[in-house]
Amino acid sequence: MPLHLDKIPTLRELYTRGVLKPAKVAPRHAPRAALLDRVSLFQGDITTLDIDCIVNAANRSLLGGGGVDGAIHAAAGPSLLEECRKLNGCETGDAKITGGHDLPARHIIHTVGPIYSSYKKEEKAEQLASCYKTSLQLVVASSLKHVAFPSVSTGIYGYPIKDATHIALNVARGYLDTPEGDKLDRTIFVVWSDADKLVYESLLPHYFPSEDEGDTV
Ligand code: APR
């Protein structure tokens, strides 16, 4: 059953319901009321979202796999694979766009996250940040208004969820604070597990504080 945008809670709704609570320490970013209506957290299957674009956590071949990649290809149907074959793969940290095929979403942005390694933390962090940045740039360049991200690299690719979530939220807040980012109506973070949901709920107030936060330093 496709899920429409108006059924996906905004941060403002989640603060109002008490699901999100103000950060206990000074947030890393100043409150910006408009963003509370333009960012969402959603727990569930990203393939059900009836929005402009969902992001796939793909591999460099772009020819499908397990995890969310497997779910997206299964729901989008074989015509997605046919289109992906023409893309000649994708480098880690980069992103490419296809149609949504049999999905409710109109488009899919395929990004390739890093395979985590504690020996190359800096490089892996830069690559993961690039996944979010290039995907957001591609959404705006494609004149799309809403995008949903899974938690890239935190499944099969083993990226620690808390470190990955800091990167995702920091890049998203930075981009949404630019004139380009202002063109996006909704950025949705999709979580699958309860554990991941708790991490996003604890970190979102540091990057997207509610209006009645204490003074930020
Ligand atoms: N909807 C939303 N999120 C999902 C779904 C779904 N249907 N299925 C899985 N997830 C979540 C996982 O729980 C995890 O939090 O997506 C996140 C990303 O996990 P993976 O799909 O394993 O992706 P990643 O860690 O980036 O590894 C990519 O796995 O599937 C292969 O081909 C893919 O080789 C690539 C690698």
Side-chain angles (χ1 to χ4, degrees), residues 93-184:
D94 202 354
K96 291 191 177 179
I97 191 166
T98 66
H101 298 269
D102 297 341
L103 288 177
R106 267 66 78 194
H107 295 274
I108 306 162
I109 284 181
H110 306 263
T111 193
V112 180
I115 299 171
Y116 185 69
S117 160
S118 55
Y119 297 105
K120 299 178 183 169
K121 276 187 175 177
E122 274 308 299
E123 178 192 339
K124 301 300 181 181
E126 282 163 17
Q127 287 174 330
L128 185 59
S130 175
C131 287
Y132 285 92
K133 182 85 177 282
T134 51
S135 296
L136 286 164
Q137 289 170 328
L138 189 48
V139 176
V140 171
S142 308
S143 305
L144 303 178
K145 294 307 215 182
H146 6 95
V147 60
F149 286 94
S151 183
V152 178
S153 279
T154 65
I156 294 165
Y157 279 180
Y159 213 109
I161 181 66
K162 195 167 179 187
D163 295 350
T165 305
H166 273 295
I167 291 168
L169 298 182
N170 191 48
V171 169
R173 174 67 201 255
Y175 187 75
L176 290 173
D177 280 344
T178 67
E180 281 306 293
D182 278 343
K183 294 173 183 170
L184 276 176

Side-chain angles (χ1 to χ4, degrees), residues 44-47 57-59 64-71 150-158 190-193 196:
D45 183 351
I46 199 168
T47 67
N59 59 57
V68 72
D69 195 7
S151 183
V152 178
S153 279
T154 65
I156 294 165
Y157 279 180
V190 180
V191 287
W192 187 242
S193 69
D196 290 1

